[in-house]
Amino acid sequence: MSSSSTLNYFELLGLPESVELDRSALERAYQSLQSQWHPDQFAGADATTRARAVQQTSLINDAYRTLREPVSRAAHLLALRGIEPDRLEQRELDPAFLFEQMEWREELEAKRGNEAALGQLGVKVDERFKTTWRVFAEALAKEALSEAKREFHKLQFLGRLQYEINEAEALLLDD
Amino acid sequence: MAYSDKVLDHYENPRNVGKLDDNDANVGTGMVGAPACGDVMRLQIKVNEEGIIEDAKFKTYGCGSAIASSSLLTEWVKGRSLDEAAKIKNTEIAEELGLPPVKIHCSVLAEDAIKAAIADVKQKRGLA
């Protein structure tokens, strides 16, 4: 998809296009547009208008979900610049980062079952996510798109690792 | 999603899991990843004087298809020359394991990993 044909979710929700997002502004925009386009409002309208309302509601949902999560918001910001983040070759990944990911995955395996150790690993990964996010934001601000794309891939790995750590912690709480 | 019996077999009994000494000049390491699913794969080969792969090890953090693809590949490359191993195509892996279309990228990852491992050992030997 080229940048010209990517629907701008920020515009759709009437929000400023930015890396950081005011979460409450997002919620307000979402609620307001949802009620504006709710199919109940168009119960008496003709079929074309009703279909349009349904389609609009679905787009608003997609936009909300995409912008709410940092990683998918980052992907959307890249897509708006004509970058398809899922199209990549291995040489675009940072080898040192991959080695570290492997180590952290091994660490997670070893620490499964140890709540305190999992917590420490979680803090380390969260910190790395934050610093990587800043580098991503700076790269995007100066339109250094290949750098932004590389940092985005790190965010994807880190986000996945955060998820796995949370899952491991949830398992411990269940026992 | 249902995994094929072959994928399940490799997932439950992965072959050649482990690590080779990356400081060994005869060992090539391929480290690859799939950011969208967070998979990381390390595939290593040990090559003898005749250029034949005599050992292969892997470690994969990822879904069953990614684990099975790398496990199968380590079985296949043993006893092959570097050139023969480089010719293995992801489609052969996908076909052998019966991977569904949405999991083809796992076999691509395994192919990328063996290519990276081969390039690494060639570079170490001054062949690249």
Side-chain angles (χ1 to χ4, degrees), chain A residues 28-85:
Chain A
R28 279 196 306 275
Y30 174 65
Q31 298 298 343
S32 143
L33 283 164
Q34 269 299 332
S35 52
Q36 185 186 328
W37 288 99
H38 196 279
D40 287 355
Q41 310 269 23
F42 300 89
D46 60 84
T48 314
T49 310
R50 286 205 311 273
R52 173 155 160 71
V54 169
Q55 194 203 8
Q56 200 65 17
T57 307
S58 150
L59 285 176
I60 291 160
N61 281 330
D62 287 346
Y64 171 70
R65 276 195 297 267
T66 301
L67 297 188
R68 188 181 52 182
E69 302 305 326
V71 175
S72 51
R73 184 162 75 242
H76 186 60
L77 285 161
L78 287 174
L80 290 173
R81 286 159 177 77
I83 302 277
E84 290 180 72

Side-chain angles (χ1 to χ4, degrees), chain A residues 86 88 90 93 95 98-99 101-102 105-107 109 153-154 156-157 160, chain B residues 29 31-42 59 61-62 109 112:
Chain A
D86 285 343
L88 88 157
Q90 286 299 322
L93 297 175
L98 283 179
F99 272 93
Q101 279 298 297
M102 189 58 99
R105 288 302 192 101
E106 282 166 357
E107 201 176 325
E109 282 312 304
H153 290 137
K154 293 181 187 173
Q156 282 186 302
F157 278 114
R160 183 71 207 179
Chain B
T29 301
M31 186 77 92
V32 294
C37 25
D39 292 2
V40 266
M41 183 182 287
R42 180 184 65 220
K59 183 76 198 179
Y61 289 98
L109 200 59
D112 287 343

Side-chain angles (χ1 to χ4, degrees), chain A residues 8-163:
Chain A
N8 189 320
Y9 285 155
F10 294 96
E11 279 177 16
L12 183 73
L13 297 183
L15 295 167
E17 185 182 320
S18 62
V19 175
E20 303 303 336
L21 193 69
D22 180 345
R23 188 64 191 264
S24 56
L26 173 69
E27 296 295 333
R28 279 196 306 275
Y30 174 65
Q31 298 298 343
S32 143
L33 283 164
Q34 269 299 332
S35 52
Q36 185 186 328
W37 288 99
H38 196 279
D40 287 355
Q41 310 269 23
F42 300 89
D46 60 84
T48 314
T49 310
R50 286 205 311 273
R52 173 155 160 71
V54 169
Q55 194 203 8
Q56 200 65 17
T57 307
S58 150
L59 285 176
I60 291 160
N61 281 330
D62 287 346
Y64 171 70
R65 276 195 297 267
T66 301
L67 297 188
R68 188 181 52 182
E69 302 305 326
V71 175
S72 51
R73 184 162 75 242
H76 186 60
L77 285 161
L78 287 174
L80 290 173
R81 286 159 177 77
I83 302 277
E84 290 180 72
D86 285 343
R87 288 182 63 127
L88 88 157
E89 294 186 26
Q90 286 299 322
R91 58 184 163 74
E92 294 180 68
L93 297 175
D94 178 349
F97 182 82
L98 283 179
F99 272 93
E100 188 182 62
Q101 279 298 297
M102 189 58 99
E103 280 175 9
W104 288 4
R105 288 302 192 101
E106 282 166 357
E107 201 176 325
L108 172 58
E109 282 312 304
K111 289 175 174 174
R112 238 174 236 289
N114 180 338
E115 202 177 338
L118 275 181
Q120 282 169 2
L121 179 61
V123 169
K124 186 164 75 174
V125 175
D126 290 350
E127 282 299 316
R128 178 59 65 85
F129 190 96
K130 278 182 205 154
T131 53
T132 308
W133 183 263
R134 279 200 291 275
V135 179
F136 168 78
E138 284 162 17
L140 206 63
K142 57 184 187 207
E143 296 288 323
L145 296 182
S146 56
E147 188 190 347
K149 188 181 177 191
R150 195 176 61 232
E151 297 306 312
F152 168 74
H153 290 137
K154 293 181 187 173
L155 291 171
Q156 282 186 302
F157 278 114
L158 292 165
R160 183 71 207 179
L161 195 52
Q162 285 176 323
Y163 172 81

Side-chain angles (χ1 to χ4, degrees), chain B:
Chain B
M1 183 187 48
Y3 282 124
S4 72
D5 288 346
K6 279 179 181 163
V7 170
L8 281 178
D9 180 37
H10 279 278
Y11 180 68
E12 283 163 9
N13 312 291
R15 332 288 201 262
N16 309 309
V17 171
K19 197 172 186 177
L20 298 171
D21 180 9
D22 193 42
N23 294 319
D24 185 335
N26 296 316
V27 168
T29 301
M31 186 77 92
V32 294
C37 25
D39 292 2
V40 266
M41 183 182 287
R42 180 184 65 220
L43 201 146
Q44 295 179 296
I45 50 173
K46 185 168 186 174
V47 183
N48 69 15
E49 291 307 312
E50 286 77 45
I52 303 296
I53 298 170
E54 56 183 24
D55 199 7
K57 297 275 184 209
F58 85 97
K59 183 76 198 179
T60 295
Y61 289 98
C63 67
S65 300
I67 291 168
S69 294
S70 37
S71 171
L72 175 70
L73 193 54
T74 55
E75 281 194 316
W76 276 2
V77 297
K78 279 196 208 178
R80 295 202 196 192
S81 70
L82 289 178
D83 289 341
E84 285 166 350
K87 284 184 193 141
I88 298 174
K89 290 272 165 285
N90 83 283
T91 45
E92 299 169 57
I93 301 167
E95 191 177 335
E96 172 70 15
L97 294 172
L99 296 182
V102 293
K103 290 290 176 184
I104 298 296
H105 69 274
C106 299
S107 63
V108 174
L109 200 59
E111 185 189 320
D112 287 343
I114 185 66
K115 291 218 162 87
I118 291 168
D120 184 45
V121 78
K122 279 189 170 174
Q123 194 190 8
K124 279 184 178 174
R125 292 180 156 196
L127 295 172

